[in-house]
Amino acid sequence: MPAQLIDGTLLSQQLRADVAKRAAALTARGKQPGLAVILVGDNPASTVYVRNKVKACSDNGLHSVLEKYDAELSEADLLARIDALNNDPTIHGILIQLPLPAHINATKVIEAIAAEKDVDGFHISNAGLLMTGQPLFRPCTPYGVMKMLESIDYPIRGAHAVVVGASNIVGKPQAMLLLQAGATVTICNSKTRDLAHHTKQADILVVATGKANLVTADMIKPGAVVIDVGMNRNQEGKLCGDVDFANAKEVASHITPVPGGVGPMTITMLLVNTIEAAERM
Ligand code: NAP
């Protein structure tokens, strides 16, 4: 029997209805939640991402400010803007769209964001809080994946979760969230020997590598939940994930599509984090 789809678009709509309600309640108390998005340069993918983030804010009752700078902006000027936003009471979340131009030190810039406004959850102190089981902000993509597992009532406690990919923004925080939810977690990276040996043991398989079709049906345990974070373009230029969806869906019990899976959840969880930030201030 083909796997049940975990529909990120539908789940996002449900979560955004709650976001809009919470935003309206805050606004009624004179504290409309506000997100500042900073884009440096004109990377086409980044331009689309920031446009979608700003639109999601206005669609759901959040205030947003989009600051666009040309690629020559100096690091000092960017740090000065962040400092101003840190002290702006109408702004509760600050997001720097990555990647930044090579002459800007991204780590230094992320560390300059006030930790309580770091809605991406990338600041070192937020990474540390997550690692020690006291998260202030959960990075948006892994947070969205946890909501997807919650939406199917998956019993994470005691399950074996395998995360393929170990980046600071997806794989590592994903592994931490699964561990905190009681899973036994394996993290794989590009040096992992015999990737299939690990993936075949997964009750929950999260794939975030940026390698189209890396995970094929024969690498999946029958009945596993498969979450595909990857966003790639195939040879025809169509969006696809890291999992061979057409065949994997015949083996998995639940699976996320690309597009329409994790992607919409990431922006939704950015809204949730901004609301949470505003509610705390
Ligand atoms: P990244 O920083 O490039 O990290 C990729 C990770 O995958 C690294 O840890 C790398 O291992 C590992 N990897 C690469 N090839 C592998 C292989 N053959 N076997 C096992 N592991 C392998 O990428 P990212 O930022 O985490 O993003 C991953 C994917 O998710 C991309 O397609 C990205 O576009 C997508 N993404 C989607 C969303 C969304 O909202 N849907 C959000 C964020 C990212 P090493 O550590 O050894 O290099």
Side-chain angles (χ1 to χ4, degrees):
M1 198 172 54
Q4 203 177 309
L5 276 194
I6 308 179
D7 183 337
T9 306
L10 185 66
L11 182 55
S12 276
Q13 278 165 8
Q14 293 159 0
L15 293 170
R16 287 183 194 199
D18 181 59
V19 162
K21 233 188 267 172
R22 288 162 75 185
L26 283 159
T27 304
R29 300 209 312 263
K31 192 166 67 172
Q32 184 182 25
L35 175 70
V37 180
I38 298 184
L39 174 66
V40 185
D42 56 2
N43 177 312
S46 295
T47 305
V48 174
Y49 294 149
V50 298
R51 195 191 307 139
N52 291 344
K53 288 168 185 174
V54 167
K55 180 174 184 310
C57 283
S58 64
D59 286 350
N60 293 283
L62 285 81
H63 155 69
S64 67
V65 176
L66 172 57
E67 298 195 6
K68 283 189 191 175
Y69 298 101
D70 62 35
E72 283 72 46
L73 180 76
S74 72
E75 185 180 282
D77 285 348
L78 179 55
L79 292 172
R81 272 315 298 150
I82 294 171
D83 187 49
L85 292 166
N86 283 342
N87 292 299
D88 182 340
T90 68
I91 294 298
H92 306 94
I94 302 171
L95 181 150
I96 313 290
Q97 186 65 44
L98 300 175
L100 286 168
H103 68 278
I104 297 179
N105 180 336
T107 306
K108 194 168 165 189
V109 167
I110 291 166
E111 299 318 307
I113 299 172
E116 66 276 12
K117 294 191 178 186
D118 168 41
V119 283
D120 258 339
F122 297 162
H123 191 286
I124 194 101
S125 66
N126 283 324
L129 286 169
L130 177 65
M131 174 84 169
T132 52
Q134 326 154 65
L136 183 67
F137 293 107
R138 295 158 181 84
C140 302
T141 302
Y143 194 8
V145 169
M146 297 310 285
K147 287 284 173 194
M148 292 178 121
L149 293 172
E150 199 180 300
S151 76
I152 58 165
D153 282 329
Y154 193 85
I156 299 175
R157 200 181 156 93
H160 188 175
V162 176
V163 180
V164 186
S167 70
N168 289 336
I169 66 169
V170 188
K172 283 183 204 158
Q174 185 68 72
M176 286 303 132
L177 289 173
L178 287 161
L179 185 67
Q180 280 150 28
T184 300
V185 182
T186 300
I187 311 175
C188 302
N189 61 23
S190 65
K191 296 98 184 167
T192 298
R193 280 189 217 124
D194 195 358
L195 181 64
H197 165 79
H198 298 283
T199 58
K200 273 194 257 181
Q201 294 176 42
D203 301 310
I204 302 167
L205 179 60
V206 182
V207 191
T209 64
K211 301 279 176 291
N213 289 335
L214 176 70
V215 172
T216 48
D218 57 320
M219 295 167 73
I220 297 169
K221 175 172 158 179
V225 176
V226 177
I227 311 275
D228 189 353
V229 179
M231 282 211 291
N232 314 293
R233 295 273 165 198
N234 66 15
Q235 279 154 353
E236 295 97 60
K238 278 198 185 149
L239 206 57
C240 69
D242 293 351
V243 176
D244 172 14
F245 178 83
N247 295 306
K249 75 176 184 340
E250 302 301 325
V251 182
S253 67
H254 296 79
I255 191 165
T256 61
V258 179
V262 176
M265 293 298 291
T266 297
I267 295 189
T268 299
M269 301 324 290
L270 173 67
L271 302 179
V272 171
N273 278 347
T274 306
I275 297 279
E276 288 179 3
E279 285 172 345
R280 277 197 288 263
M281 281 177 205

